[in-house]
Amino acid sequence: MERLAINGGKPVRHSLLSYGHQWIDDEDISAVVEVLKGDWLTQGPKVDEFERKVAKYCGAKYAVAVANGTAALHAACAVAGIRRGDEAIITPLTFAATANAIYYCGGRPVFADIQEDTLNTDPNEVLKHITPRTKAILPVDFAGHPVDLDRLKEIATEKGLIIIEDACHALGAEYKGKKIGSLSDMTILSFHPVKHITTGEGGMILTNNEEYYQKLKTFRHHGIVKDDSSKESWYYEIPQPGYNFRLTDMQCALGISQMNKLDCFLARRREIASIYDNAFADMHEIITPFVDKDIKHAYHIYVIQLNLERLKVGRKEIFDALKAENIGVNVHYMPLHLHPFYQRKFGYKKGDFPNTEAVGASTLSLPLSAKLTDNDVQDVIDAVKESLLS
Ligand SMILES: *Cc1c(COP(=O)(O)O)cnc(C)c1O
């Protein structure tokens, strides 16, 4: 076997293959340019069109496009009525935005440990953390694997809680034959460049609830409420301040064009995931992603777990070795409750969530995007095998 790049050998690739990447083609570029030549740069007809297109695809009645996925989470938490003193239950294995959105509204993010197989919030753990102050559950469809929605809905109904599903990883995923997007009270999407489709920055809230829908639109636009029955047509009121969370027409034109390719993107992501699955199937050093029989995975990221007991080196050494080979691996995520802010503010500490901490210490995300060629995928496989086995 050749020498690893980290030991002075020649890297598998001469340039870095990043863990996620957008796909932008000429159609996307013309769609944006067309908007630039027109009258509307922000909040014009493309916003409605994009919202209708995503809502239809996901089977939701309403959609509200906002500036980014974090703003979408923030708006959903506000509209769900999360206020000072309220609690909302989330997984510690997520991006900080999920917890921060609760905090922006004055609420307390309450973590509940994950399942060892799906790496999603464990409904039985959620049950343990419900108190009279609990208002909502924010499950995350980790990596693109939907959470156990039936069980979570049972709990939410029994306890009177709202479900805000953070589906930033899961556009196009399915749960029991239904697309993610209409199965929770509100569903959150992100259009950051590493996600399934991109608008540069962008996010969306999907809902079937008309009251939420109206409130979300108001929240996105400074809290402005217009009453058509008033005598003066310029009249509006701000009963409660909102934010400027608007998404532009330029971005929505890009989003519409990207939506036309979503099924191709998903098919390619699933194909790459199955190539990885097969390549690593007989390696005891690696645990490949679990897929429940009830779901269809959307593979936002491809997360392997290292079987550290079987390895001579740790994750850091493997991570560094892969980076030296120009394979842009990543870690999703460092457990959220271990960040200084959540420890200081909410009293969390190491040892609180054993499953999350074990997973957090052993995962690696391999490059995955619709843009990867078969050669790119093979480079990743070669580099992983060499780094693990040498
Ligand atoms: C990407 C992401 C977000 C936030 O999205 P932005 O559009 O970057 O604000 C929130 N939650 C999860 C789980 C994400 O992956």
Side-chain angles (χ1 to χ4, degrees):
M1 192 176 292
E2 287 182 40
R3 256 197 318 167
L4 295 176
I6 200 160
N7 299 326
K10 185 169 159 297
V12 167
R13 301 176 59 85
H14 58 258
S15 66
L16 184 74
L17 187 65
S18 99
Y19 88 92
H21 200 283
Q22 69 274 21
W23 169 299
I24 298 288
D25 59 24
D26 288 344
E27 268 169 32
D28 296 319
I29 293 167
S30 344
V32 176
V33 169
E34 202 166 309
V35 172
L36 285 169
K37 291 176 179 167
D39 293 326
W40 298 91
L41 292 190
T42 187
Q43 289 286 299
K46 293 295 176 195
V47 178
D48 290 335
E49 191 184 335
F50 182 42
E51 288 173 342
R52 270 184 274 115
K53 197 158 177 116
V54 179
K56 183 163 181 240
Y57 183 90
C58 296
K61 268 197 187 149
Y62 308 107
V64 179
V66 291
N68 52 65
T70 306
L73 282 162
H74 183 175
C77 286
V79 161
I82 295 176
R83 301 282 179 267
R84 196 157 304 282
D86 291 336
E87 296 175 359
I89 300 179
I90 68 165
T91 167
L93 195 71
T94 181
F95 184 54
T98 324
N100 292 350
I102 300 163
Y103 177 70
Y104 298 152
C105 297
R108 180 191 178 90
V110 173
F111 297 111
D113 212 350
I114 57 169
Q115 297 168 324
E116 279 175 316
D117 49 8
T118 64
L119 311 186
N120 281 331
T121 315
D122 184 340
N124 294 326
E125 291 297 316
V126 169
L127 266 178
K128 287 186 199 163
H129 293 279
I130 293 174
T131 75
R133 319 197 86 162
T134 310
K135 194 115 202 189
I137 310 172
L138 277 77
V140 176
D141 303 313
F142 182 79
H145 188 303
V147 289
D148 186 351
L149 280 165
D150 279 353
R151 183 71 191 108
L152 285 175
K153 276 203 275 199
E154 240 171 60
I155 294 171
T157 307
E158 193 190 315
K159 308 280 183 184
L161 309 177
I162 296 167
I163 300 184
I164 301 169
E165 184 181 354
D166 182 341
C168 289
H169 294 187
L171 175 56
E174 290 175 27
Y175 177 77
K176 298 191 174 170
K178 289 203 184 104
K179 283 242 164 59
I180 289 300
S182 69
L183 309 174
S184 300
D185 295 296
M186 286 180 264
T187 304
I188 307 303
L189 300 174
S190 163
F191 309 123
H192 180 279
V194 296
K195 305 287 160 73
H196 296 86
I197 64 161
T198 190
T199 58
E201 296 281 354
M204 198 173 273
I205 308 105
L206 301 172
T207 184
N208 289 337
N209 180 318
E210 196 192 343
E211 188 189 331
Y212 289 155
Y213 173 59
Q214 296 301 346
K215 286 184 173 170
L216 288 165
K217 289 218 290 191
T218 304
F219 194 81
R220 164 177 79 180
H221 187 52
H222 306 283
I224 289 177
V225 177
K226 259 186 114 111
D227 178 359
D228 291 336
S229 66
S230 71
K231 281 198 292 285
E232 302 94 346
S233 60
W234 42 264
Y235 186 81
Y236 65 79
E237 280 178 358
I238 297 182
Q240 183 72 31
Y243 289 77
N244 177 353
F245 276 169
R246 295 187 303 260
L247 193 61
T248 66
D249 248 37
M250 299 171 284
Q251 290 170 296
C252 290
L254 177 55
I256 293 161
S257 173
Q258 290 265 300
M259 277 302 287
N260 294 335
K261 296 181 275 266
L262 175 58
D263 280 331
C264 297
F265 291 166
L266 282 164
R268 180 59 179 156
R269 282 176 178 274
R270 287 173 177 142
E271 184 175 46
I272 294 168
S274 86
I275 298 174
Y276 282 153
D277 283 346
N278 289 330
F280 304 133
D282 53 3
M283 288 180 70
H284 300 296
E285 295 83 357
I286 290 179
I287 303 162
T288 54
F290 172 84
V291 183
D292 192 275
K293 61 178 186 347
D294 284 337
I295 69 110
K296 205 161 171 195
H297 208 301
Y299 291 108
H300 157 54
I301 43 180
Y302 188 88
V303 176
I304 59 168
Q305 289 178 70
L306 299 174
N307 196 346
L308 293 169
E309 282 161 23
R310 287 185 170 260
L311 292 169
K312 286 185 293 250
V313 292
R315 176 177 62 177
K316 181 189 174 334
E317 286 72 20
I318 291 171
F319 186 99
D320 291 345
L322 286 166
K323 270 284 164 77
E325 302 293 343
N326 277 321
I327 303 298
V329 281
N330 209 332
V331 169
H332 295 94
Y333 294 93
M334 296 193 307
L336 216 47
H337 68 285
L338 299 179
H339 285 282
F341 173 71
Y342 306 102
Q343 299 211 7
R344 189 177 70 238
K345 180 83 187 171
F346 303 113
Y348 287 107
K349 59 183 187 313
K350 203 167 176 136
D352 284 346
F353 304 103
N355 284 358
T356 305
E357 288 170 34
V359 168
S362 67
T363 57
L364 273 185
S365 305
L366 304 183
L368 177 58
S369 73
K371 218 178 152 66
L372 297 190
T373 65
D374 286 350
N375 282 337
D376 294 334
V377 175
Q378 195 55 49
D379 284 346
V380 176
I381 293 168
D382 292 345
V384 167
K385 289 192 170 172
E386 282 174 27
S387 308
L388 282 175
L389 302 178
S390 63

